[in-house]
Amino acid sequence: MANRSPSEGDEHVTRSSPSSFSLSLSLYAVITVMWGLTLAMGWWGVHVQSSINWQAVVVLSALGVLGTNMREMEYEVGLSVSFTTVVLSAAIVLAGPAGAVLVGVISSLCDFRSFGLASWLSNAAMTGCMAGAGAATYFAVNGLDFETRKKDPDLGMPSPGEILSNVALPMVAGYVLLVWVNAVLIGLLIAATQRRNAFTEALLVIQSLGPGYVVQVLIAVLLVVLWQPVGIGPFSAALVIIPLLLTQWALTRNAAERRSQARTVETLMGALEVATPYSAGHSARVATLARRMAPLLNITGGTAEDLNFAALLHDLGLVSTSPSVPRGTPPSDVSYLAAIQEHPQASVNMLSDITFLKPTLTGILHHHERFDGLGYPAGLAGDAIPIFARVIAVADAFDSLTTNRSYRDELSGPEALKRLRRRAGTHLDPEVVEALARVLETSPWEPTRIGDAALASAMDVNDHDDPAVSDEYAGWQPESDEARA
């Protein structure tokens, strides 16, 4: 199961935001609604199946508490995962709908690693809602009710065929919806606290979990089969504890690897921001925009994570190739244009030996190509430009326009978007520009103000991401290899 601390913010974007009182009010409104849904689902569960298997509630709650307190706390920023979802799935069948809701609530209320009151309350309500939604799906697709079946001795235990069609497959269906409800509720919490689009955030949560997460339902099926048809009963929990711990170990190992990768990227970004103080925060803002556009462009799963890394590191080459030109140098100066065209290749050279960054390299190399073929370094056009590069190009230009420079003020988000739309089909990919427009409809973007000291360090040199510089380069277009060298 994935949980999120509602207090976690986006550390990458530090601009004006709604008042803390307004955000707190929205957060607790969402939590109240979630608790209302949890109680309603518990009430529904009692009416669907009046008897609750209290023995199963006790045993599975103990497993759920174990999973909750073993959860991986740093899977993503503010996101944690555990095998508790597997326990909830089994509880739907073994404890009944109302019992499953109880197992979910108890598992989270006994969270000894809670982030605080809001997190504690929201996670408990979330697990209750998840269990109720999973139970509704299980019974909607003719899932077998063992408690009712026990009351008719003529029916006996289900056949292998019935276990597959009326237990295993309905459990898979319930598990899938359970995971989606988890993601949607996290999305709602993020929307309430950070004014983002809930559905987009839910997609990002699903992407971070990956399809392998659903395979874990097989452990829940095994637990149910051992407990009921095989007849082992509560001791089945002891038999599946090893698979559950292996599941948690796999989640923890995956999270540790991703944290290691993130630390590597943060170290490289730190080097860039030390070398170019005026660009502090730029790459993180570009990555934020890229992540939000990704689901709208069918960039999902591990590919979305690769895009995030590409956006974070796209300007790393400026560490070694940052233009050094006199104050007042115009963007049409040949020495400036010759200098800026080198940084994408320099970025690739610096990153080429890092294995997990291999998928990012083409996006980094070509993020200054233009849709009309007049960009650099290869003069690619249209769909020949890698999709990562097209996404970064749009985010790059947008962040440049909404950030102040020594030679101009920042633009508002809507004004910057208007300018990008005028460039769609020439400088930028029209589909990506429209994806950005959809993001901005639900996640308004506040302009960024750079301080005077950081601006002074850049002198009066034009921002190389400024669309005006791209136009200057398109008009210059060095024809010889010597000019490009």
Side-chain angles (χ1 to χ4, degrees):
M1 185 184 75
N3 289 333
R4 178 140 186 165
S5 166
S7 62
E8 290 287 344
D10 190 335
E11 300 296 336
H12 295 164
V13 184
T14 54
R15 293 180 295 276
S16 61
S17 59
S19 69
S20 58
F21 175 78
S22 174
L23 293 179
S24 296
L25 190 62
S26 298
L27 170 61
Y28 282 101
V30 171
I31 293 174
T32 300
V33 170
M34 287 167 55
W35 271 105
L37 289 172
T38 296
L39 294 173
M41 288 177 176
W43 178 85
W44 165 82
V46 170
H47 284 266
V48 169
Q49 181 179 302
S50 57
S51 60
I52 295 176
N53 187 331
W54 291 103
Q55 187 180 53
V57 170
V58 172
V59 173
L60 296 177
S61 292
L63 280 180
V65 171
L66 177 65
T68 296
N69 287 281
M70 288 183 66
R71 72 189 187 277
E72 179 53 48
M73 299 287 287
E74 299 180 76
Y75 187 72
E76 288 288 330
V77 177
L79 189 67
S80 60
V81 291
S82 74
F83 61 72
T84 307
T85 313
V86 177
V87 177
L88 291 182
S89 184
I92 291 167
V93 185
L94 297 175
V101 173
L102 276 175
V103 169
V105 171
I106 292 170
S107 297
S108 288
L109 287 180
C110 295
D111 178 5
F112 305 114
R113 302 167 64 188
S114 178
F115 292 101
L117 179 62
S119 176
W120 186 62
L121 290 174
S122 63
N123 287 336
M126 187 186 305
T127 49
C129 288
M130 290 163 58
T137 305
Y138 177 82
F139 286 100
V141 294
N142 298 318
L144 188 63
D145 181 350
F146 281 100
E147 292 302 309
T148 301
R149 192 180 183 101
K150 285 179 183 178
K151 297 175 182 178
D152 189 344
D154 294 332
L155 292 177
M157 282 294 112
S159 66
E162 286 181 297
I163 291 174
L164 176 62
S165 61
N166 296 103
V167 179
L169 293 180
M171 282 184 70
V172 171
Y175 188 88
V176 169
L177 187 68
L178 186 151
V179 170
W180 265 102
V181 168
N182 187 196
V184 169
L185 292 177
I186 290 175
L188 287 172
L189 288 170
I190 295 173
T193 56
Q194 299 175 37
R195 294 295 187 263
R196 298 185 190 171
N197 181 267
F199 183 71
T200 300
E201 296 301 323
L203 287 178
L204 292 174
V205 173
I206 291 293
Q207 290 169 13
S208 68
L209 296 177
Y213 203 66
V214 178
V215 177
Q216 297 169 18
V217 72
L218 297 178
I219 301 176
V221 174
L222 174 63
L223 175 56
V224 168
V225 171
L226 290 174
W227 189 304
Q228 289 285 11
V230 176
I232 295 177
F235 185 68
S236 305
L239 298 180
V240 300
I241 193 67
I242 297 301
L244 287 174
L245 292 177
L246 288 174
T247 294
Q248 189 62 47
W249 173 79
L251 292 172
T252 300
R253 185 185 65 171
N254 182 52
E257 181 180 356
R258 293 171 71 171
R259 284 200 306 274
S260 176
Q261 293 173 354
R263 282 194 295 267
T264 299
V265 171
E266 288 171 2
T267 299
L268 294 170
M269 287 177 60
L272 172 62
E273 295 191 352
V274 168
T276 57
Y278 65 94
S279 68
H282 165 70
S283 293
R285 293 191 298 273
V286 170
T288 295
L289 291 167
R291 285 197 305 273
R292 295 181 187 177
M293 286 188 281
L296 305 177
L297 297 167
N298 296 317
I299 300 173
T300 60
T303 306
E305 189 168 17
D306 291 335
L307 171 60
N308 180 55
F309 285 152
L312 288 170
L313 297 172
H314 70 281
D315 273 344
L316 185 63
L318 291 175
V319 170
S320 61
T321 64
S322 184
S324 178
V325 293
R327 180 177 293 276
T329 299
S332 58
D333 184 87
V334 171
S335 63
Y336 177 74
L337 296 175
I340 63 168
Q341 69 173 348
E342 297 175 0
H343 80 274
Q345 183 62 59
S347 298
V348 170
N349 293 344
M350 298 171 71
L351 300 172
S352 59
D353 291 332
I354 303 177
T355 302
F356 77 90
L357 292 176
K358 296 288 186 186
T360 71
L361 298 183
T362 57
I364 291 172
L365 179 62
H366 297 291
H367 74 274
H368 279 294
E369 305 286 2
R370 288 171 54 106
F371 208 67
D372 57 13
L374 298 179
Y376 60 88
L380 301 182
D383 292 342
I385 304 171
I387 183 60
F388 284 11
R390 284 178 270 152
V391 173
I392 294 171
V394 170
D396 233 358
F398 181 79
D399 186 63
S400 175
L401 290 174
T402 55
T403 302
N404 64 310
R405 297 303 180 195
S406 59
Y407 56 91
R408 63 162 171 79
D409 289 330
E410 71 279 11
L411 299 178
S412 67
E415 181 57 34
L417 179 61
K418 286 181 184 177
R419 294 202 183 186
L420 296 193
R421 277 178 160 158
R422 290 198 292 266
R423 307 178 71 81
T426 52
H427 178 190
L428 304 169
D429 181 342
E431 182 182 4
V432 180
V433 172
E434 289 311 305
L436 174 63
R438 291 170 61 190
V439 166
L440 298 177
E441 287 174 0
T442 54
S443 302
W445 190 261
E446 292 295 330
T448 300
R449 292 282 311 172
I450 302 298
D452 292 340
L455 287 177
S457 71
M459 300 186 295
D460 295 325
V461 176
N462 284 56
D463 174 14
H464 78 282
D465 293 322
D466 195 316
V469 176
S470 176
D471 290 343
E472 293 287 351
Y473 184 90
W476 173 52
Q477 281 295 295
E479 297 178 358
S480 66
D481 290 341
E482 290 78 18
R484 287 184 179 271

